[in-house]
Amino acid sequence: MLPISNSLYPLNSLQRQIHFVASIRKKVLIGLILCLFLNFIIIVLEPFDTDQFEADYRFLLLSGYGILVFIVFVIQSSIENIWYYRVGKVWRVSHEIMATAIFCLFSGHVLYLYNTLVVNLRSCTLGSYLHFLFSTVISMLPVFIPLMLYLRQKFGERIVPLPENEILLIGENKNEILRLVKDELLFIKAVENYVEICFVDQNKKVISKTFRQTLSKVCEQAPFLEKCHRSYLVNLDTIAAIIGNSQSATISFVVGEKEIPLSKTYYKHLKNKVP
C-alpha cells in the first residue's frame, strides 16, 4: 500500500462531515445564547471603554449589539438551510468555515452601522469602518466564534452518508427528497422547470414522481446516469434493449413497458455501452 501524503490531510479534514442545525427552534435558541453572551461581555465586563459610555438609554443601547447578532444569526442560519438541502444534507467542515466567514462579515457590517449611526451618532467613513473592524470585531472573534461553533455542533444533527448503492434526489421545493437504490431508478425526464423521476417501487411497479429541478442538477446528484436525449437521463443498468436504428431508436427497460427516445446524437455512444 502506498503511503498517503501528509499534504492531503488538510484537504481530507475540510471534507469531513459535521453536524448542522436545521431546526429553526434550535437556531433561535442558539441565537439567544449568543445574544446574552455578547451582552454580558459588553455590559458587565465593559471592554473597549464601554464603562465610559453615558446615554439616557445606556442599557438599551448596549443591549442592541447582542440583539442584532441574534437577528443576523437567525436570518443567516435559516438561509443556510437552502444550502444544506442542496448538498444532500451532508454538511462539511469547508461549509462551516464559509458560513462562519459570511456571518463575521455580515454581522460586522451591521454592528458597525449600529455603533456609528445609532450609538455614537456619527457619519460612516472608511477609516472608522476599518478601525471598528480591526479593533472591535476581529478582537472579539477568538472569544465569540468558538462558542458559536460549539453550540452549532452541540444542537446540530449529522445525517449518516448514504450507502454506495443508494442515491438521494433533491428538488428545489420543500420536502422534495427521494431516496432510491440505484438499480430502482430507470430514467429521468425534463419537463419545462420540472423533472419526472421514473423508478421501480418495492412491489416492482413502475411509478414516477415530479420534482421542481433541472436535468443538469439531477445529473450532479446522480452522476452515473447517461444522457440519451436532450430531455432524458437513463440508467444503463436497467436497459433491456435499444430498439431501432439511429434515425428512430427507443430504449426499453427490464421492468415495465415504458420506452423513451434515444436521439441520433447519443445513439452510437449508448449502443457501445449496452449489450
Side-chain angles (χ1 to χ4, degrees):
M1 181 181 294
L2 294 175
I4 300 176
S5 171
N6 290 334
S7 63
L8 296 178
Y9 290 155
L11 182 60
N12 292 336
S13 297
L14 290 176
Q15 296 305 311
R16 183 169 60 86
Q17 185 181 356
I18 58 176
H19 293 194
F20 178 83
V21 182
S23 166
I24 299 298
R25 182 177 60 84
K26 291 182 178 179
K27 293 178 189 294
V28 171
L29 176 59
I30 294 173
L32 287 174
I33 295 174
L34 296 175
C35 171
L36 294 173
F37 177 68
L38 183 58
N39 282 342
F40 172 80
I41 293 176
I42 294 174
I43 297 172
V44 179
L45 301 183
E46 298 182 329
F48 315 115
D49 298 326
T50 308
D51 57 322
Q52 299 178 17
F53 174 69
E54 298 293 339
D56 293 337
Y57 303 98
R58 179 179 185 274
F59 180 80
L60 182 60
L61 287 172
L62 293 179
S63 299
Y65 293 98
I67 294 172
L68 286 174
V69 164
F70 165 77
I71 294 172
V72 169
F73 177 82
V74 173
I75 291 175
Q76 178 183 319
S77 58
S78 298
I79 295 174
E80 284 174 5
N81 277 20
I82 301 173
W83 187 4
Y84 179 59
Y85 288 115
R86 283 183 178 272
V87 295
K89 292 188 176 182
V90 179
W91 193 253
R92 305 183 188 279
V93 172
S94 58
H95 299 145
E96 188 74 355
I97 292 173
M98 291 177 64
T100 302
I102 294 171
F103 171 79
C104 292
L105 291 172
F106 188 16
S107 59
H109 280 71
V110 172
L111 292 178
Y112 165 71
L113 293 174
Y114 176 75
N115 180 76
T116 304
L117 301 176
V118 179
V119 176
N120 293 307
L121 301 176
R122 297 176 180 174
S123 59
C124 298
T125 64
L126 178 59
S128 63
Y129 171 73
L130 294 176
H131 180 267
F132 181 82
L133 186 65
F134 287 100
S135 67
T136 304
V137 176
I138 293 181
S139 63
M140 283 293 295
L141 294 185
V143 178
F144 188 84
I145 295 303
L147 175 63
M148 185 183 76
L149 295 177
Y150 169 77
L151 292 173
R152 284 168 66 96
Q153 293 304 300
K154 177 70 174 179
F155 292 102
E157 62 178 3
R158 180 177 179 272
I159 305 298
V160 178
L162 293 171
E164 290 186 2
N165 67 328
E166 292 187 10
I167 57 169
L168 196 66
L169 299 177
I170 304 170
E172 294 183 352
N173 294 331
K174 188 177 181 180
N175 298 325
E176 288 185 340
I177 300 177
L178 180 61
R179 182 170 178 169
L180 292 172
V181 175
K182 289 183 179 179
D183 291 343
E184 295 174 346
L185 179 59
L186 300 179
F187 65 87
I188 297 177
K189 177 184 178 182
V191 184
E192 295 183 350
N193 296 325
Y194 294 83
V195 292
E196 179 186 344
I197 304 168
C198 189
F199 60 97
V200 181
D201 65 7
Q202 295 180 346
N203 298 320
K204 302 301 180 182
K205 182 180 178 181
V206 178
I207 59 177
S208 63
K209 285 191 175 183
T210 302
F211 284 2
R212 184 177 179 84
Q213 190 56 277
T214 63
L215 209 62
S216 59
K217 288 291 184 181
V218 172
C219 195
E220 292 176 5
Q221 297 173 14
F224 64 93
L225 297 178
E226 293 277 354
K227 202 161 189 179
C228 62
H229 185 276
R230 65 180 181 179
S231 301
Y232 286 84
L233 293 172
V234 65
N235 183 358
L236 297 184
D237 293 335
T238 61
I239 294 178
I242 294 177
I243 306 168
N245 55 36
S246 61
Q247 302 300 320
S248 59
T250 59
I251 295 174
S252 63
F253 297 90
V254 293
V255 179
E257 299 179 357
K258 285 184 175 289
E259 292 186 358
I260 62 174
L262 172 57
S263 70
K264 182 179 179 180
T265 305
Y266 304 100
Y267 179 84
K268 185 176 180 180
H269 175 68
L270 263 63
K271 190 71 174 178
N272 291 335
K273 287 192 172 186
V274 177

